[in-house]
Short mmCIF file of all heavy atoms in Angstrom, two decimals:
data_model
loop_
_atom_site.label_atom_id
_atom_site.label_comp_id
_atom_site.label_asym_id
_atom_site.label_seq_id
_atom_site.Cartn_x
_atom_site.Cartn_y
_atom_site.Cartn_z
N SER E 142 45.77 40.59 -203.23
CA SER E 142 45.81 39.14 -203.01
C SER E 142 46.68 38.52 -204.13
O SER E 142 46.52 38.86 -205.29
CB SER E 142 44.36 38.56 -203.10
OG SER E 142 44.45 37.15 -203.24
N CYS E 145 44.12 35.16 -205.56
CA CYS E 145 42.82 35.33 -206.24
C CYS E 145 43.12 35.65 -207.69
O CYS E 145 44.08 36.29 -208.04
CB CYS E 145 42.00 36.46 -205.62
SG CYS E 145 40.32 36.51 -206.25
N GLU E 146 42.18 35.17 -208.64
CA GLU E 146 42.39 35.47 -210.03
C GLU E 146 41.74 36.74 -210.48
O GLU E 146 41.53 37.01 -211.68
CB GLU E 146 41.80 34.28 -210.81
CG GLU E 146 42.57 32.99 -210.67
CD GLU E 146 41.88 31.76 -211.21
OE1 GLU E 146 40.73 31.94 -211.71
OE2 GLU E 146 42.41 30.74 -211.10
N CYS E 147 41.27 37.56 -209.52
CA CYS E 147 40.42 38.74 -209.88
C CYS E 147 41.17 39.86 -210.58
O CYS E 147 40.46 40.71 -211.14
CB CYS E 147 39.72 39.19 -208.65
SG CYS E 147 40.75 39.94 -207.42
N LEU E 148 42.46 39.95 -210.56
CA LEU E 148 43.22 41.07 -211.24
C LEU E 148 42.91 42.42 -210.61
O LEU E 148 43.07 43.41 -211.23
CB LEU E 148 42.90 41.09 -212.75
CG LEU E 148 43.12 39.75 -213.51
CD1 LEU E 148 42.70 39.94 -215.01
CD2 LEU E 148 44.52 39.23 -213.37
N CYS E 149 42.36 42.45 -209.35
CA CYS E 149 42.15 43.69 -208.69
C CYS E 149 43.31 44.07 -207.82
O CYS E 149 43.97 43.15 -207.32
CB CYS E 149 40.87 43.61 -207.87
SG CYS E 149 39.39 43.28 -208.78
N SER E 151 42.70 45.66 -205.10
CA SER E 151 42.10 45.40 -203.75
C SER E 151 41.15 44.29 -203.93
O SER E 151 40.05 44.47 -204.48
CB SER E 151 41.39 46.69 -203.19
OG SER E 151 40.78 46.44 -201.97
N CYS E 152 41.52 43.07 -203.45
CA CYS E 152 40.73 41.86 -203.66
C CYS E 152 39.45 41.86 -202.82
O CYS E 152 39.54 41.86 -201.52
CB CYS E 152 41.51 40.65 -203.47
SG CYS E 152 40.58 39.12 -203.61
N LYS E 153 38.31 41.90 -203.39
CA LYS E 153 37.03 41.99 -202.66
C LYS E 153 36.82 40.65 -201.92
O LYS E 153 36.22 40.66 -200.85
CB LYS E 153 35.93 42.42 -203.58
CG LYS E 153 36.25 43.74 -204.16
CD LYS E 153 35.12 44.32 -205.06
CE LYS E 153 35.47 45.69 -205.57
NZ LYS E 153 34.37 46.39 -206.14
N ARG E 154 37.08 39.63 -202.59
CA ARG E 154 36.88 38.23 -201.97
C ARG E 154 37.56 38.25 -200.57
O ARG E 154 36.94 37.84 -199.60
CB ARG E 154 37.42 37.20 -202.86
CG ARG E 154 37.32 35.80 -202.30
CD ARG E 154 38.26 34.83 -203.10
NE ARG E 154 39.64 34.92 -202.59
CZ ARG E 154 40.65 34.17 -203.08
NH1 ARG E 154 40.45 33.41 -204.03
NH2 ARG E 154 41.83 34.32 -202.53
N ASN E 155 38.81 38.55 -200.62
CA ASN E 155 39.57 38.45 -199.33
C ASN E 155 39.07 39.33 -198.21
O ASN E 155 39.00 38.99 -197.07
CB ASN E 155 41.06 38.63 -199.59
CG ASN E 155 41.72 37.46 -200.15
OD1 ASN E 155 40.97 36.57 -200.70
ND2 ASN E 155 42.98 37.39 -200.19
N CYS E 178 34.82 38.50 -208.45
CA CYS E 178 35.30 37.53 -207.36
C CYS E 178 34.43 37.66 -206.13
O CYS E 178 34.09 36.69 -205.46
CB CYS E 178 36.78 37.68 -207.04
SG CYS E 178 37.29 38.99 -206.03
N GLY E 179 34.05 38.90 -205.82
CA GLY E 179 33.12 39.10 -204.67
C GLY E 179 31.80 38.40 -204.83
O GLY E 179 31.34 37.70 -203.95
ZN1 LIG W 1 39.84 38.71 -205.75
#
Side-chain angles (χ1 to χ4, degrees):
S142 166
C145 189
E146 290 167 1
C147 66
L148 309 177
C149 296
S151 181
C152 175
K153 300 186 178 190
R154 178 196 81 181
N155 283 15
C178 78

